[in-house]
Amino acid sequence: MASVSSLADEVSCPICQGTLREPVTVDCGHNYCRACLTRYCEIPGPDPNEPLHCPLCKEPFRLGGFRPNWQLASVVENIERLTLVSTLGSDQEDVCQEHGEKIYFFCEDDEAQLCVVCREAQEHQAHTVRFLDEAAGPYREQIQKCLECLRREREEIQRIQSRENQRIQVLLCQVATKRQKVIFEFAHLSQFLEEQQSVLLAELEKLDGDILKQRDVFDALVSEEICRFSTLVAELEEKLGRPARELLTVCKSLHCMDHEIKGLASMIPDALPTLQFWDSRTPYGNPRSETRKCRKPEAVSQELGQRIRDFPQRVLPLRREVTTFLEKLCFELDYEPAPISLDPQTSHPKLLLSEDHRRAQFSYKWQNSPDNSQRFDRATCVLAHGGFTEGRHTWMVMVDLAHGGSCTVGVVREDVKRKGELKLRPEEGVWAVRLAWGFVSALGSFPMRLALQEQPRQVRVTLDYEVGWVTFVNAVSQEPIYTFTTSFTQKVFPFFGLWGRGSSFSLSP
């Protein structure tokens, strides 16, 4: 049995090194005097926004988040009482201060240590007086029980610490792996994009050069024809200004010029102005207006225009490559799709399974299913084939509920209860959610209704075995439904439950 001094060491304050006074517990589980911890919290740190840390383990804790430890306070009180009756100590402590006699007894009524003379005194005659060791016995037993309880709590905290540290290491490894995948995939994409950029820019450069070349040819042709027409216009203006007699004299030469202008007009681009000619064949030399429809000018050839219009098509391979990259990256970073199917050896007789074992429907009519140790006999449930002992997996469940029906999806331990009543909660090895008509519940230690934006009809279940996560997500809206956090120690199986005539579920391929 522990000595009084060792017991006192168990209940000392790490800050003041004295016996705990009004002990309080912080988030990490360590205990301090309330006054000591309050003064510690009042000491300003280098960063005012930095959270407070435990003086022992440096774990952060919330200001005002420490809790009174009444059980520990009772232990401290009993240790102090035991110190009064302890026979260990100096000779001065073993001697009665009043009579100088050695102390052998303890008065339980007055809670006083007595020597032989004190014991015979009148005031203690009717009291319960015991030897020191006998009186200290019940206190020792009570303290021992409290210490065992505290040690169990400490061991539980240590187990939690070990489990969470292991989970953190797994997550760090997963993040490191994802980081490498992201770096590799983006490096590959970056190289591809640079190559495509060079190809597209080279094509654009060629188009730019061809456009400029055709523009120069067009400008030269148009300039030449404008110059020739300007000469003709000047000659006609000069003849137009002559007297009538002289103008009629040259009518025949104008008729010849008309044929010449018509020939020139057929050689120049379209959209040139309408020309008016004098027709010598018209009586009295009356003028008549003739409109020549010329070809429209084309500064850019049809072949070049088609190349410009077809250029966006050259980007389509780039779009396909980027889409493939995103799909591959999401696949690499996400959970591995699990090709699961239902196990008919575990199916309750009221569940009708499809031939491919990927769909189940509830029926009140019992099937002629042979009984075996794996089959559920009361809970209308079924498991998937295989099971998992490691890795990250995901599968999709499509739910079709009739009025009043319900469907349960999740994972269970291999040793889950198959016969008799099955309680759907983590303590029984079940981590699942229930989709009922109008609401969704997380089946924890106590079922909890979830506030969701919409009723899921397709549920994505993801399992991270090493980390201990079972996550449910609305596969359509991507709205998170619920996540269980646990520690798996044996094989787990995808789990499905169904109730309600006409209700069914199916596994997405």
Side-chain angles (χ1 to χ4, degrees):
M1 185 175 291
S3 64
V4 176
S5 59
S6 63
L7 292 176
D9 292 339
E10 293 279 352
V11 294
S12 62
C13 174
I15 296 178
C16 67
Q17 304 299 319
T19 304
L20 287 167
R21 301 297 179 189
E22 296 185 66
V24 292
T25 305
V26 294
D27 294 337
C28 61
H30 290 115
N31 300 287
Y32 302 92
C33 299
R34 176 182 291 275
C36 295
L37 189 60
T38 301
R39 288 193 297 270
Y40 172 78
C41 295
E42 293 174 351
I43 299 176
D47 185 2
N49 297 324
E50 184 179 2
L52 298 170
H53 294 82
C54 174
L56 280 180
C57 64
K58 304 305 179 184
E59 287 292 323
F61 67 89
R62 295 172 289 105
L63 179 62
F66 35 86
R67 306 174 299 279
N69 194 330
W70 305 114
Q71 189 176 22
L72 183 58
S74 177
V75 172
V76 173
E77 182 180 353
N78 289 329
I79 290 177
E80 290 180 339
R81 289 181 179 178
L82 185 60
T83 304
L84 296 176
V85 299
S86 175
T87 57
L88 300 176
S90 62
D91 293 340
Q92 183 68 24
E93 292 176 345
D94 293 340
V95 177
C96 176
Q97 299 295 325
E98 182 179 355
H99 303 104
E101 298 289 336
K102 189 172 182 179
I103 297 174
Y104 291 101
F105 307 99
F106 180 76
C107 176
E108 293 186 349
D109 296 287
D110 294 339
E111 295 185 352
Q113 301 178 44
L114 308 177
C115 65
V116 176
V117 178
C118 295
R119 183 181 182 279
E120 298 301 328
Q122 183 66 31
E123 60 268 23
H124 297 293
Q125 289 296 317
H127 294 173
T128 301
V129 178
R130 301 180 185 276
F131 285 104
L132 291 178
D133 288 340
E134 183 183 358
Y139 293 104
R140 291 180 186 275
E141 293 177 0
Q142 184 178 0
I143 292 174
Q144 185 65 26
K145 291 180 180 179
C146 292
L147 284 176
E148 291 175 357
C149 180
L150 291 174
R151 289 184 180 121
R152 284 195 299 269
E153 291 183 0
R154 182 176 62 184
E155 291 173 358
E156 178 64 20
I157 293 176
Q158 290 173 344
R159 283 195 295 270
I160 294 175
Q161 182 184 28
S162 176
R163 182 190 68 196
E164 294 303 315
N165 285 337
Q166 183 179 3
R167 177 178 286 121
I168 289 173
Q169 290 303 317
V170 172
L171 290 173
L172 288 175
C173 291
Q174 291 183 1
V175 170
T177 302
K178 292 179 180 180
R179 180 184 295 109
Q180 293 301 320
K181 289 180 179 178
V182 169
I183 293 174
F184 174 79
E185 294 298 335
F186 271 90
H188 175 75
L189 179 64
S190 177
Q191 180 181 357
F192 173 79
L193 292 177
E194 290 178 358
E195 294 173 355
Q196 290 298 309
Q197 181 187 27
S198 300
V199 171
L200 294 176
L201 289 178
E203 291 200 16
L204 290 173
E205 188 70 23
K206 189 174 186 308
L207 288 175
D208 186 81
D210 292 344
I211 292 173
L212 294 177
K213 186 182 299 183
Q214 291 197 11
R215 184 195 65 180
D216 294 341
V217 173
F218 174 78
D219 289 345
L221 176 62
V222 171
S223 297
E224 180 181 352
E225 297 306 317
I226 289 176
C227 180
R228 295 178 64 180
F229 265 83
S230 296
T231 302
L232 292 175
V233 168
E235 292 180 2
L236 288 176
E237 288 177 347
E238 188 272 331
K239 289 180 174 61
L240 184 63
R242 293 181 182 182
R245 183 173 178 277
E246 186 177 353
L247 182 62
L248 292 173
T249 303
V250 298
C251 183
K252 185 175 181 179
S253 63
L254 285 174
H255 179 67
C256 295
M257 185 178 294
D258 180 26
H259 288 288
E260 182 180 355
I261 293 174
K262 292 177 183 178
L264 289 174
S266 63
M267 299 173 59
I268 64 173
D270 295 348
L272 291 178
T274 300
L275 299 177
Q276 290 185 343
F277 304 98
W278 293 96
D279 192 346
S280 60
R281 291 170 298 178
T282 303
Y284 308 109
N286 293 333
R288 65 180 179 87
S289 176
E290 293 187 1
T291 302
R292 304 299 184 199
K293 185 177 181 181
C294 304
R295 293 177 302 172
K296 295 181 180 180
E298 291 185 357
V300 178
S301 66
Q302 293 184 0
E303 183 270 336
L304 179 58
Q306 189 63 41
R307 285 169 53 195
I308 295 174
R309 290 190 294 273
D310 291 344
F311 181 78
Q313 303 299 320
R314 303 300 303 272
V315 185
L316 292 180
L318 179 61
R319 180 185 299 174
R320 288 193 294 267
E321 182 68 21
V322 173
T323 302
T324 303
F325 161 77
L326 293 175
E327 293 175 352
K328 182 179 179 182
L329 183 63
C330 291
F331 178 81
E332 293 286 346
L333 298 181
D334 205 351
Y335 291 72
E336 179 181 357
I340 63 175
S341 60
L342 303 177
D343 184 0
Q345 298 298 319
T346 65
S347 176
H348 187 276
K350 287 188 177 182
L351 296 182
L352 301 176
L353 304 187
S354 61
E355 292 184 0
D356 61 358
H357 296 162
R358 299 189 62 82
R359 184 177 183 275
Q361 184 174 359
F362 182 88
S363 172
Y364 283 109
K365 182 179 179 181
W366 284 60
Q367 311 303 306
N368 294 325
S369 304
D371 190 18
N372 58 59
S373 59
Q374 303 178 36
R375 190 179 306 281
F376 293 92
D377 65 350
R378 290 191 61 180
T380 52
C381 304
V382 61
L383 303 183
H385 278 292
F388 310 104
T389 56
E390 63 179 359
R392 303 163 66 241
H393 311 276
T394 183
W395 57 93
M396 200 90 67
V397 184
M398 292 177 287
V399 180
D400 184 11
L401 299 179
H403 184 76
S406 66
C407 180
T408 303
V409 296
V411 299
V412 297
R413 288 199 309 254
E414 186 175 20
D415 63 353
V416 69
K417 187 177 180 181
R418 314 288 179 96
K419 306 301 179 182
E421 182 183 2
L422 173 61
K423 297 181 179 179
L424 303 179
R425 58 188 183 187
E427 292 81 1
E428 303 296 327
V430 180
W431 298 269
V433 297
R434 173 175 290 149
L435 288 78
W437 187 267
F439 66 91
V440 179
S441 299
L443 303 180
S445 300
F446 300 96
M448 177 178 59
R449 284 200 179 189
L450 305 175
L452 303 178
Q453 294 182 358
E454 63 180 62
Q455 182 79 5
R457 288 293 176 261
Q458 296 184 33
V459 178
R460 182 185 183 197
V461 185
T462 56
L463 166 69
D464 194 321
Y465 189 93
E466 285 77 13
V467 178
W469 284 342
V470 183
T471 303
F472 304 88
V473 177
N474 187 326
V476 177
S477 65
Q478 304 304 317
E479 178 186 10
I481 298 175
Y482 195 77
T483 296
F484 288 96
T485 300
T486 184
S487 180
F488 297 115
T489 57
Q490 55 180 279
K491 181 181 286 188
V492 295
F493 291 81
F495 169 79
F496 311 90
L498 195 61
W499 181 263
R501 184 193 301 272
S503 296
S504 65
F505 72 85
S506 57
L507 303 177
S508 178

